[in-house]
Amino acid sequence: MLTELAHYLTTPVPRALRRLGYLRESVLLLARSRRCRAAWADHLAAARETVARACQATREGRVAVILGSGLLDDVPLALLAATFREVRLVDAVHLHPARRMARRYPHVRLVTAEISGSAHRVGAGTTDPADPLTDLCGGAEIDLVVSANLLSQLPIVPLDGFERRGETPPPDFGRRIVQAHLDGLARLSARVCLVTDLEQVEEDRDGRVTGRLDLLHGLRLPPPDRAWTWELAPFGEAARHRRHRHRVHAYDDWCAVWPMRTP
């Protein structure tokens, strides 16, 4: 609790993003990642390997952009720093462990941004997602963009905004955020690597499925280059006799497999 409080009090976060709840989400994620380090190990290794493959397949080594850099547990930062002239780590919050890792490399930049394109717009007269990716990743010098275990997280804070005000979101609101991100990635000229979880499965100790949750709000993705299971919450984390497992897809070249569906 003291460690979490220290992060709340000392992490530099723009006031608007703090008010929206991004700092709280980041601190909770850090605490869970430490409790579930062993359960998450295989997933994080697979994610890092996917990003490493994308690095190796990128022809030039100018700028790499990591969207949803978070705790950097799923990001092979040393390899990225050795491969690219500049690495930009983009997230709404950069906690101190990630800041310390980034400081090891003078050409690694922290970029603070609200990537969903929606959280600031909820309650402001529109719920249509904006496109922040053009500004964040649209430069001609950018050779690699990675969306790192981010996609399913994008609707969470905007949807929480409706709940805090006691309002009901549009029925397709979460889906629009997810699709806007995927379409925004597909419009980029850089190579795009995507790692995302799709579905949460709840199981009891006998292996019976007791619940399912669609993390992409009804959107279906094409067959992945690789897929695996992430034990997000082992027994005892979310419930004594239940565990939550996520199905994860990884794409080495997202623009090659995603047909544009919006103008």
Side-chain angles (χ1 to χ4, degrees):
M1 289 297 294
L2 290 177
T3 300
E4 294 175 20
L5 179 60
H7 284 294
Y8 280 120
L9 294 177
T10 64
T11 301
V13 183
R15 183 176 299 176
L17 295 179
R18 182 186 290 265
R19 187 172 60 249
L20 288 167
Y22 282 106
L23 178 59
R24 177 179 180 275
E25 292 293 327
S26 295
V27 173
L28 290 175
L29 176 64
L30 176 63
R32 173 171 274 192
S33 74
R34 290 175 172 173
R35 292 193 304 270
C36 301
R37 185 176 300 276
W40 289 18
D42 289 345
H43 159 68
L44 296 176
R48 290 193 298 268
E49 175 61 24
T50 295
V51 179
R53 287 172 180 264
C55 285
Q56 294 164 2
T58 303
R59 293 183 179 180
E60 298 189 66
R62 292 173 295 181
V63 180
V65 179
I66 311 301
L67 300 171
S69 55
L71 307 176
L72 295 176
D73 289 341
D74 51 359
V75 176
L77 185 58
L79 175 61
L80 286 161
T83 304
F84 293 92
R85 186 182 68 211
E86 181 180 333
V87 179
R88 301 173 190 170
L89 304 177
V90 183
D91 216 321
V93 176
H94 303 280
L95 294 177
H96 290 297
R99 290 175 178 272
R100 286 193 294 270
M101 290 181 64
R103 281 199 295 268
R104 299 173 186 172
Y105 309 99
H107 57 301
V108 171
R109 288 179 48 206
L110 300 178
V111 179
T112 300
E114 197 282 297
I115 306 173
S116 79
S118 299
H120 289 296
R121 299 159 73 84
V122 173
T126 179
T127 57
D128 292 329
D131 178 17
L133 299 190
T134 298
D135 291 335
L136 292 171
C137 317
E141 77 283 5
I142 296 174
D143 295 312
L144 175 65
V145 174
V146 179
S147 178
N149 289 294
L150 167 70
L151 183 63
S152 67
Q153 304 301 303
L154 292 176
I156 292 176
V157 169
L159 285 170
D160 284 348
F162 282 102
E163 183 175 347
R164 285 196 303 271
R165 295 190 309 277
E167 299 175 4
T168 301
D172 61 344
F173 182 60
R175 179 190 176 102
R176 294 211 310 268
I177 293 174
V178 170
Q179 183 163 331
H181 184 71
L182 296 176
D183 286 342
L185 292 174
R187 282 191 287 268
L188 300 175
S189 58
R191 183 181 191 90
V192 175
C193 170
L194 171 67
V195 180
T196 183
D197 44 359
L198 286 77
E199 180 186 45
Q200 176 174 289
V201 177
E202 183 184 76
E203 296 178 347
D204 64 16
R205 291 188 179 272
D206 295 322
R208 291 188 295 260
V209 174
T210 56
R212 292 183 182 273
L213 180 62
D214 179 359
L215 302 175
L216 299 188
H217 301 266
L219 207 61
R220 296 292 173 257
L221 301 188
D225 295 304
R226 281 169 302 285
W228 62 84
T229 298
W230 174 14
E231 186 143 344
L232 179 79
F235 294 114
E237 172 64 22
R240 183 177 179 184
H241 298 295
R242 297 284 188 274
R243 68 177 177 181
H244 295 161
R245 310 181 81 195
H246 283 200
R247 185 162 55 96
V248 181
H249 280 190
Y251 301 85
D252 295 339
D253 187 359
W254 177 249
C255 300
V257 298
W258 182 251
M260 288 298 301
R261 304 183 185 187
T262 58

